[in-house]
Amino acid sequence: MQKDNNISDLQLAVMRVLWRRGEAAVAEVHGDLEPERGLAPTTIATILSRLERRGLVRHSSRGRQFLYAPVVSEQEVRHSMVASLTSRLFNGDATALVSHLLKSRDIATGDLETVRRLLSASHETETDHDDS
């Protein structure tokens, strides 16, 4: 069974700092997020502690400071969150999700071409596996 890596918007912001930095102390995460979020360092510490309890980050010590590092990749979190969204809102139907995205947004021509190339490449990969 796939691990549930669904996280809140604020937790995601903290994780993005860790993914970008590789590891960071509470003060460093706070420094990165404070201009945008205006949170207290204790709030950041609490979020990191909760993420650690869930197994999404780990810490090591540097002197008297904890350094936090991600245990899961951004891709793993993205995959889990999209899978959960697809399951909850579209009864697990990925086609319905894609259809919704295409109908409800202005998709730039370049983006649509990228999607077409990805679909074509995916189809070619499936065909190659079928021929094996």
Side-chain angles (χ1 to χ4, degrees), residues 31-116:
D32 284 6
L33 295 178
E34 202 278 329
E36 170 188 334
R37 300 274 181 161
L39 300 169
T42 54
T43 302
I44 300 297
T46 299
I47 291 166
L48 285 164
S49 177
R50 288 178 181 164
L51 289 169
E52 186 171 32
R53 276 196 303 273
R54 290 187 56 198
L56 301 175
V57 303
R58 62 169 170 71
H59 81 269
S60 59
S61 297
R62 177 176 63 190
R64 294 177 55 194
Q65 261 186 338
F66 281 173
L67 289 178
Y68 291 89
V71 172
V72 295
S73 70
E74 186 171 8
Q75 183 62 30
E76 288 172 295
V77 170
R78 183 180 296 136
H79 178 76
S80 179
M81 291 180 75
V82 169
S84 177
L85 174 80
T86 303
S87 176
R88 285 190 338 251
L89 294 179
F90 299 98
N91 293 322
D93 184 353
T95 303
L97 169 64
V98 172
S99 176
H100 171 78
L101 291 172
L102 291 172
K103 289 177 183 174
S104 66
R105 300 185 52 185
D106 291 327
I107 304 290
T109 304
D111 292 341
L112 199 50
E113 275 308 310
T114 300
V115 170
R116 283 187 181 113

